[in-house]
Amino acid sequence: MAVSKFVDEIFKAENEISIGIFIDAKKAFDTIDHKILLKKLRKYGFYGAELKLIENYLTNRYQVTEVDGVVSGLLKILAGVPQGSILGPLLFIIYINDLPSVSTFRSFLFADDTSLHMSDKNIKMLESKANTELERVGLWFRANNMVLNSKKTKYILFGAPKNTQFKLEIEGDIIDRVSNYEKENYVKLVGIALDEKLSFKHHINLIKVKLNVANFILAQSGKILTQEIRVLVYNSLVKSVLDFGSWVYGHCAKSLIDQLYVLQKKIVRNVVGARGKVHTNKFFARLGILKIPDIIDYNTLITGWKIWNSKAPENLCNGYEKITPIRNTRSALSKNFKVPFCKTSHMEIAPCYSITKNWNCLNEDMKNIQKLVSFKAKLMANTFERYLQEPPCKIKNCYACSLEAL
């Protein structure tokens, strides 16, 4: 959702040049000042027993180090929130919650993934404003006893001319630009790789690496694992990777999604132990596995349902406008979102555009489903019914068909 909101901001400013700054804080979770955190909690309304409970949770913790069987003495922990805990990320978010108020940047915070956005029609004005606001961000970090890692902090210019000269500094250090023409050409935001063209091609390549590893495992384990276990391996190593952020990256160029689809079919063949090149449609239907294009549509429509029914976080719902009917006509009952104007086709990847388009194309009966569980079940049922109704191959002397007959 953080990536979705970030991309939507670039979409809204498509007539301007946008800058995205991806902040990296040194040992972010370990540098949280307990006294400052407790003061902020008090400001947000924590007091009495509740505040004492959090204070007790944070204080009187100790750490030791063991090297070759030799254990050091106890050292009291004076800062930081416990990592790997449920409260850790929540306390960190509370700690940095006031960061957006110190500058005019549009901020997107998710745990220690902090990104900033600003846009302007004039590149020089954008450069000046961004540097001025970064000074304020730097002051906030110093006031909160956190240290910015300028070497790992990066920025991307979206919609800028090819040879644009741009200099960005923070704490006296120059920030590296991520660009197709620089050494680094993408940056990760909450696990999704972004580039200056918002092509998601680098993210697709990262997915392909993970899928190739999973394919190798399934290919090698064909004679060892049962099909039931191989389906579990698929769900763990393939489905989870394809699902993550699919409604954000999935509306990129069809040629990129086709690369994933080809690889997914290879994996499914290895799950069932079929020969290479064999038609896979029946395998997807039999195993209850969605094809990658349908995974994208499925997750996009679920997000659309949550937004329409106000089940998504409020800050995500705020970016979508329902069409208010003037008269009570048949078309007024269609439950559609207002589709934002898109100037260039490559920006149709923005969730605020793709979600509204997909939701508006959904039939009336689906839109009227009130429970998410029922909505998901109906989507799945419709997809697998379509798989089963697909006509058989009509290619004469088809090689794939001949393999099935063996």
Side-chain angles (χ1 to χ4, degrees):
M1 290 183 183
V3 182
S4 167
K5 294 296 290 183
F6 183 83
V7 174
D8 282 349
E9 283 300 313
I10 298 169
F11 175 88
K12 293 172 187 175
E14 64 175 331
N15 292 324
E16 302 178 334
I17 300 169
S18 288
I19 183 172
I21 304 171
F22 306 91
I23 300 292
D24 186 89
K26 288 183 180 178
K27 299 183 178 180
F29 278 75
D30 296 328
T31 56
I32 298 301
D33 189 297
H34 292 167
K35 290 182 180 179
I36 295 176
L37 175 58
L38 292 171
K39 284 181 181 178
K40 292 188 178 189
L41 286 168
R42 194 175 293 111
K43 185 176 179 63
Y44 291 133
F46 288 80
Y47 56 89
E50 292 84 1
L51 189 62
K52 284 287 183 184
L53 181 65
I54 299 298
E55 184 178 4
N56 183 266
Y57 175 75
L58 293 170
T59 56
N60 295 319
R61 289 179 178 270
Y62 294 84
Q63 61 185 6
V64 296
T65 301
E66 181 181 352
V67 180
D68 294 334
V70 180
V71 181
S72 70
L74 291 173
L75 183 66
K76 195 171 185 178
I77 299 174
L78 301 176
V81 292
Q83 294 192 47
S85 64
I86 295 173
L87 274 181
L90 177 60
L91 292 173
F92 182 85
I93 290 170
I94 291 172
Y95 194 82
I96 65 170
N97 190 56
D98 57 340
L99 172 60
S101 64
V102 304
S103 75
T104 58
F105 280 119
R106 186 82 169 86
S107 303
F108 305 89
L109 312 178
F110 182 81
D112 58 341
D113 272 305
T114 302
S115 55
L116 310 172
H117 173 266
M118 180 182 284
S119 64
D120 199 286
K121 290 184 178 180
N122 186 294
I123 189 67
K124 288 299 179 184
M125 283 293 295
L126 181 61
E127 182 180 35
S128 176
K129 283 164 53 179
N131 278 295
T132 300
E133 295 305 314
L134 273 178
E135 287 181 17
R136 296 177 180 176
V137 172
L139 285 172
W140 182 93
F141 272 84
R142 289 201 299 275
N144 287 272
N145 290 339
M146 295 182 71
V147 181
L148 273 170
N149 190 342
S150 56
K151 290 184 179 179
K152 290 187 177 181
T153 296
K154 311 292 181 184
Y155 76 92
I156 299 179
L157 286 177
F158 301 95
K162 182 177 179 181
N163 297 316
T164 300
Q165 298 297 313
F166 201 89
K167 184 180 179 182
L168 207 58
E169 295 184 36
I170 191 165
E171 301 285 273
D173 296 323
I174 295 176
I175 302 176
D176 291 333
R177 179 180 173 184
V178 174
S179 167
N180 290 338
Y181 311 104
E182 304 290 339
K183 185 177 180 181
E184 292 183 82
N185 45 31
Y186 72 87
V187 66
K188 276 189 177 182
L189 176 60
V190 199
I192 295 183
L194 299 175
D195 60 79
E196 65 179 0
K197 300 295 184 184
L198 288 177
S199 67
F200 291 106
K201 64 179 181 181
H202 301 288
H203 187 69
I204 299 296
N205 288 335
L206 294 174
I207 292 177
K208 285 165 61 180
V209 170
K210 294 179 181 179
L211 296 193
N212 279 316
V213 171
N215 190 38
F216 177 79
I217 292 171
L218 288 165
Q220 296 299 310
S221 62
K223 295 180 180 179
I224 303 170
L225 302 178
T226 64
Q227 187 175 114
E228 185 180 8
I229 299 298
R230 291 200 296 276
V231 170
L232 290 176
V233 173
Y234 173 90
N235 289 333
S236 299
L237 302 182
V238 180
K239 181 180 182 296
S240 60
V241 173
L242 294 176
D243 266 334
F244 178 72
S246 59
W247 56 280
V248 179
Y249 78 77
H251 300 282
C252 62
K254 183 178 180 297
S255 58
L256 293 174
I257 300 302
D258 286 344
Q259 292 176 27
L260 293 182
Y261 186 33
V262 169
L263 190 48
Q264 186 190 25
K265 289 193 286 186
K266 288 181 180 179
I267 294 170
V268 167
R269 291 188 190 102
N270 282 323
V271 169
V272 298
R275 291 170 175 264
K277 304 295 183 181
V278 169
H279 294 306
T280 56
N281 188 66
K282 62 181 181 181
F283 301 144
F284 281 102
R286 192 177 80 202
L287 298 175
I289 294 174
L290 290 177
K291 302 171 186 178
I292 179 60
D294 296 313
I295 288 175
I296 294 164
D297 289 342
Y298 175 80
N299 288 317
T300 300
L301 288 171
I302 286 174
T303 307
W305 184 94
K306 289 179 179 178
I307 293 170
W308 183 269
N309 292 282
S310 301
K311 300 296 183 182
E314 185 179 347
N315 68 334
L316 183 63
C317 295
N318 287 341
Y320 297 80
E321 183 182 348
K322 296 179 181 179
I323 295 177
T324 305
I326 300 174
R327 296 191 305 272
N328 190 20
T329 61
R330 180 178 296 180
S331 61
L333 303 176
S334 57
K335 291 188 174 182
N336 285 344
F337 286 115
K338 182 179 180 181
V339 181
F341 175 73
C342 186
K343 183 180 178 182
T344 54
S345 60
H346 86 275
M347 284 307 300
E348 291 179 1
I349 52 90
C352 64
Y353 182 87
S354 58
I355 289 174
T356 55
K357 289 283 286 187
N358 280 45
W359 174 263
N360 290 356
C361 291
L362 202 59
N363 65 58
E364 196 74 23
D365 291 338
M366 289 295 296
K367 291 178 182 177
N368 287 327
I369 296 176
Q370 297 298 309
K371 293 184 178 180
L372 181 58
V373 173
S374 302
F375 185 78
K376 288 180 177 179
K378 187 65 175 176
L379 275 180
M380 294 286 277
N382 289 346
T383 304
F384 290 125
E385 184 179 353
R386 175 162 49 83
Y387 289 176
L388 294 172
Q389 291 178 352
E390 285 187 11
C393 177
K394 295 181 179 180
I395 300 175
K396 189 176 181 180
N397 300 322
C398 176
Y399 177 68
C401 294
S402 66
L403 290 174
E404 291 182 20
L406 295 177

